[in-house]
Amino acid sequence: MKNKIISLSAAFAFVVFTSCKNETKSEGSDLAQTEHQSKALGSEFDSEINKLVAQMTLEEKIGMLHGTSMFSTGAVKRLGIPELKMADGPLGVREEISRDNWAPAGRTDDFATYYPAGGGLAATWNGDMAYTFGNSLGQEMRARDKDMLLSPAINIVRSPLGGRTYEYMSEDPFLNKKIAVPLIVGLQDNDVMACVKHFAANNQETNRDFVDVQIDERTLREIYLPAFEAAVKEGHAYSVMGAYNKFRGEYLCENDYMLNKILRDEWGFKGVVVSDWAAVHSTVKSLKSGLDIEMGTPKPFNEFFLADKLTAAVKNKEISEAEIDIHVKRILHVLFQVKAMGGKDRAKGSIATEAHYQDAYKIASEAIVLLKNDNNALPLKLDGVKSIAVIGNNATKKNALRGFGAGVKTKREITPLEGLQNRLPSSIKINYAEGYLERYEEKNKGNLGNVVATGPITIDKLDPAKVLEAVEAAKKSDVAIIFAGSNRDYETEASDRQSLKLPFGQEELIQKVLAVNPRTIVVMIAGAPLDIDAVSKKTSALVWSWFNGSEGGNALADVLLGKVNPSGKLPWTMPKKLMDSPAHATNSFPGGKEVKYAEGILVGYRWFDTKNIDPLYPFGFGLSYTTFAFDNAKSDKTSYGPSETISVSVDVKNTGKTDGKEVVQLYASKSDSKISRASKELKGFKKVLVKAGDLNTVTIEVPVKELAYYDVATKKWTVEPGKYTLKLGNSSRDIKKEITVTIQ
């Protein structure tokens, strides 16, 4: 596959990908309103689609508008219309399940590659890695003969306790969209639909089935919608999934404002809107409000709102058959678009190949974040080392199929212990000790999947025998590595965590091991922030990894041993304590039947930086085994018009002795603004490899329109004229250079 850089559009080198098929890259409206929307579907397929619809019975049409199995809609075999076949999910293609229930189908041909979770992908800060992720996963979807991937999940990380933080990408809308768009492009290059979810304002699992989210319009537009808008306008996503919750009093799968007025009329969305599973609450209203397909469980498929009830509604003249046709045509359009119909050669794909495992490895190795490295404790120097203690349940914990929600059945999931066994010389003895037990209170264990309750309650009392074993292993070893953190049973869809506390008594265990072996490295494996303030103070080296895919253990070992220089950056803020985070500081999480987003636009680092609250580790933070210096920062001009693009360049010098990748981050500030603003906002970034001793000039282009705020009075994006400060650094709190420009 060839790629050609065409611009550094507002952030990083956005890449036009060509000849991508089957290759792995190395690196309630009324009818008139609905008809108006459908004209946007004008395409080469229109005449063929119109002929098909003219031949269909009402029952055949309605069969296409709802699930007729757990993951597919109805086919019309006599007309050559196939089922629309869907698959989870965010970590790779989900195993096949039974057609009418959640039980695994028990097949032997549904193993797949387990890819790093969304938080890890975002931590790469690399659009090329996002494309690789989408393209590789798209090939696996086609090998399994699927049409639609129920992913990516791009909701904003509003609270660090969110059960799906591991899957969502970031607290920042700009980083979100710059990872989401190339992922969607890569996926759809393989004749597969991306289903971008969960639209929208779906930022908690607690009460997710009914909570009514209240967000002011400016916050909605500036924080919670940009990634979805980019997915539609730049990624040309074929599908969007409606969320469970309500927004301003209306369920999101029957929300005319969100689905018709914004998604279709404003953004020009041409694809299909699919419900989340069992997220539909009406028949006529949901269709008129913009929903196209109802999916879900557990009732019989003919009892869905868009099944027998819809047939009755048409016969009772509550809704016209002409309106049914509009939704059927949308579905046919996307089936033609991905060549499931029309007789064109469609991508065949491949699955669980060595090439795909290597794609997962590349992403994982760029996702790992080095948080602390006093006295160059890392990479591990093996001279004179005869033994290493490997401690912690997370050293052997497998996460691919764990938790509630979409997992992956994979033949390869390299654990951290296996990664070290694969990479360390045979002369070094590994002394493994489990250290802590993953245990939950039985009375609470049944709450997994209960979206009204908070997450599982952990048993945090250490087992004395396990502690003794761990301490003895650390004592008799030259170096100790503790693999701590969380897992996908603790961080899971359908429940939010109760606190940021390290579960299972791990903090006490870490202290005991550090007391007997000062050469102790701590590695956190988790998808969301944890309270690691005390651990961070005591240990000399701290590494953050993720639910990092089939090759996660190998990638982690390569970082610890220095084969890979870490280049990951945090995609969210790590708070010192929970009440420092905006949704908690404003006492507006999780709410009850209603939740008001009281922090407004000050989500994540915007809150910390504007309120001058020190985080434990800031947004965008991540160390390297080398050091970088920024110099000679300048813009191509000093003054710009509203339709122009600001071009900023800066020299990045590798001042250390190791080749490494740095992420240049560009934040914009306006101190004399007439409106309330965050102290700074991410508006561009670029990841660059700089060899030891070398200097690279990095150019980042920021369209002036990226500096706009949403003016609620005029309902328009508005660029305020005046002076702006462009801040260049390698985290939101480490600004190296500043440039002032004037916007006319």
Side-chain angles (χ1 to χ4, degrees), residues 497-511:
R497 288 182 295 150
Q498 302 209 347
S499 76
L500 291 184
K501 184 182 175 185
L502 268 175
F504 317 122
Q506 293 176 82
E507 191 170 313
E508 184 185 346
L509 174 70
I510 293 167
Q511 289 173 359

Side-chain angles (χ1 to χ4, degrees), residues 369-533:
V369 184
L370 180 61
L371 293 177
K372 186 179 180 183
N373 194 23
D374 287 357
N375 304 316
N376 295 318
L378 287 172
L380 283 173
K381 297 156 194 75
L382 299 181
D383 293 349
V385 172
K386 294 178 180 159
S387 58
I388 294 179
V390 174
I391 297 167
N393 179 281
N394 262 356
T396 59
K397 175 80 175 179
K398 291 182 185 277
N399 286 295
L401 262 179
R402 307 303 304 185
F404 181 87
V408 183
K409 189 166 93 177
T410 185
K411 287 182 177 176
R412 185 185 298 184
E413 181 179 356
I414 307 296
T415 65
L417 177 58
E418 289 167 341
L420 287 168
Q421 289 168 336
N422 292 341
R423 299 305 203 243
L424 284 169
S426 56
S427 59
I428 294 179
K429 185 172 187 241
I430 295 176
N431 298 311
Y432 171 67
E434 187 177 19
Y436 67 91
L437 295 171
E438 180 195 356
R439 297 183 294 182
Y440 304 92
E441 288 190 12
E442 284 301 319
K443 67 176 185 287
N444 183 258
K445 211 169 182 183
N447 284 341
L448 190 65
N450 178 349
V451 297
V452 178
T454 47
I457 297 174
T458 59
I459 295 173
D460 296 332
K461 186 174 174 57
L462 290 168
D463 179 283
K466 292 287 181 184
V467 175
L468 183 61
E469 185 187 17
V471 169
E472 289 304 316
K475 267 186 191 171
K476 68 184 182 186
S477 302
D478 298 313
V479 177
I481 309 173
I482 301 178
F483 293 95
S486 177
N487 58 56
R488 278 202 63 238
D489 289 314
Y490 185 57
E491 284 182 59
T492 176
E493 179 184 349
S495 62
D496 296 318
R497 288 182 295 150
Q498 302 209 347
S499 76
L500 291 184
K501 184 182 175 185
L502 268 175
F504 317 122
Q506 293 176 82
E507 191 170 313
E508 184 185 346
L509 174 70
I510 293 167
Q511 289 173 359
K512 288 181 185 298
V513 171
L514 279 164
V516 299
N517 191 335
R519 283 191 74 185
T520 296
I521 311 299
V522 179
V523 179
M524 292 290 168
I525 296 171
L530 291 164
D531 180 358
I532 53 171
D533 194 3

Side-chain angles (χ1 to χ4, degrees), residues 141-446:
M141 284 285 289
R142 285 306 309 131
R144 288 269 294 279
D145 193 30
K146 304 298 183 187
D147 305 307
M148 179 188 290
L149 178 74
L150 304 170
S151 188
I154 59 171
N155 296 99
I156 289 290
V157 174
R158 177 176 179 248
S159 163
L161 298 183
R164 299 183 87 158
T165 295
Y166 76 91
E167 178 185 350
Y168 296 161
M169 293 181 180
S170 177
E171 66 188 23
D172 181 73
F174 188 86
L175 178 59
N176 240 11
K177 72 180 181 181
K178 291 300 175 184
I179 299 297
V181 167
L183 189 162
I184 292 162
V185 172
L187 184 74
Q188 295 191 163
D189 274 348
N190 291 281
D191 303 329
V192 174
M193 307 171 205
C195 186
V196 184
K197 63 188 188 184
H198 308 84
F199 190 68
N202 180 243
N203 310 100
Q204 63 188 63
E205 296 300 283
T206 309
N207 303 337
R208 71 176 185 182
D209 287 336
F210 58 81
V211 68
D212 186 3
V213 176
Q214 301 291 324
I215 309 177
D216 71 88
E217 192 68 13
R218 184 180 165 205
T219 298
L220 176 72
R221 299 288 185 151
E222 292 188 16
I223 303 295
Y224 295 96
L225 292 187
F228 286 101
E229 184 172 6
V232 170
K233 290 182 173 179
E234 298 170 37
H236 306 292
Y238 294 144
S239 176
V240 166
M241 183 184 289
Y244 281 116
N245 52 294
K246 292 178 181 176
F247 175 70
R248 296 180 185 162
E250 300 281 358
Y251 282 107
L252 277 158
C253 286
E254 51 183 57
N255 196 302
D256 176 69
Y257 182 62
M258 297 295 283
L259 299 183
N260 280 332
K261 292 184 173 62
I262 292 181
L263 183 62
R264 294 197 186 276
D265 293 348
E266 280 190 38
W267 298 349
F269 178 63
K270 296 177 171 65
V272 294
V273 175
V274 181
S275 78
D276 207 335
W277 266 235
V280 180
H281 297 268
S282 65
T283 298
V284 172
K285 184 179 180 182
S286 61
L287 267 186
K288 286 192 171 184
S289 298
L291 186 72
D292 298 303
I293 296 173
E294 176 188 8
M295 299 300 293
T297 51
K299 57 192 175 184
F301 299 114
N302 67 298
E303 293 180 14
F304 280 19
F305 287 98
L306 301 190
D308 291 355
K309 290 173 183 168
L310 182 55
T311 306
V314 175
K315 290 177 178 175
N316 293 335
K317 299 194 167 19
E318 296 168 47
I319 189 168
S320 70
E321 189 166 349
E323 180 145 0
I324 304 297
D325 290 352
I326 286 161
H327 300 278
V328 171
K329 286 177 181 179
R330 287 177 184 162
I331 296 165
L332 288 169
H333 175 80
V334 291
L335 286 169
F336 273 100
Q337 200 78 42
V338 297
K339 303 175 188 170
M341 297 179 68
K344 293 184 179 177
D345 284 342
R346 190 178 189 189
K348 296 286 188 289
S350 56
I351 193 162
T353 62
E354 197 56 43
H356 290 176
Y357 290 134
Q358 288 313 302
D359 290 338
Y361 171 84
K362 286 170 201 158
I363 297 162
S365 62
E366 283 207 22
I368 295 163
V369 184
L370 180 61
L371 293 177
K372 186 179 180 183
N373 194 23
D374 287 357
N375 304 316
N376 295 318
L378 287 172
L380 283 173
K381 297 156 194 75
L382 299 181
D383 293 349
V385 172
K386 294 178 180 159
S387 58
I388 294 179
V390 174
I391 297 167
N393 179 281
N394 262 356
T396 59
K397 175 80 175 179
K398 291 182 185 277
N399 286 295
L401 262 179
R402 307 303 304 185
F404 181 87
V408 183
K409 189 166 93 177
T410 185
K411 287 182 177 176
R412 185 185 298 184
E413 181 179 356
I414 307 296
T415 65
L417 177 58
E418 289 167 341
L420 287 168
Q421 289 168 336
N422 292 341
R423 299 305 203 243
L424 284 169
S426 56
S427 59
I428 294 179
K429 185 172 187 241
I430 295 176
N431 298 311
Y432 171 67
E434 187 177 19
Y436 67 91
L437 295 171
E438 180 195 356
R439 297 183 294 182
Y440 304 92
E441 288 190 12
E442 284 301 319
K443 67 176 185 287
N444 183 258
K445 211 169 182 183

Side-chain angles (χ1 to χ4, degrees), residues 546-563:
W546 310 85
F547 307 138
N548 226 358
S550 282
E551 284 282 324
N554 284 335
L556 197 42
D558 285 343
V559 166
L560 295 174
L561 298 173
K563 181 184 173 185

Side-chain angles (χ1 to χ4, degrees), residues 57-88:
T57 66
L58 176 63
E59 288 72 19
E60 285 171 336
K61 294 172 185 176
I62 287 173
M64 292 179 64
L65 305 187
H66 66 87
T68 54
S69 82
M70 298 293 284
F71 282 96
S72 64
T73 60
V76 186
K77 289 181 180 174
R78 69 182 184 88
L79 297 176
I81 300 171
E83 294 181 325
L84 195 167
K85 299 180 288 293
M86 308 170 188
D88 277 321

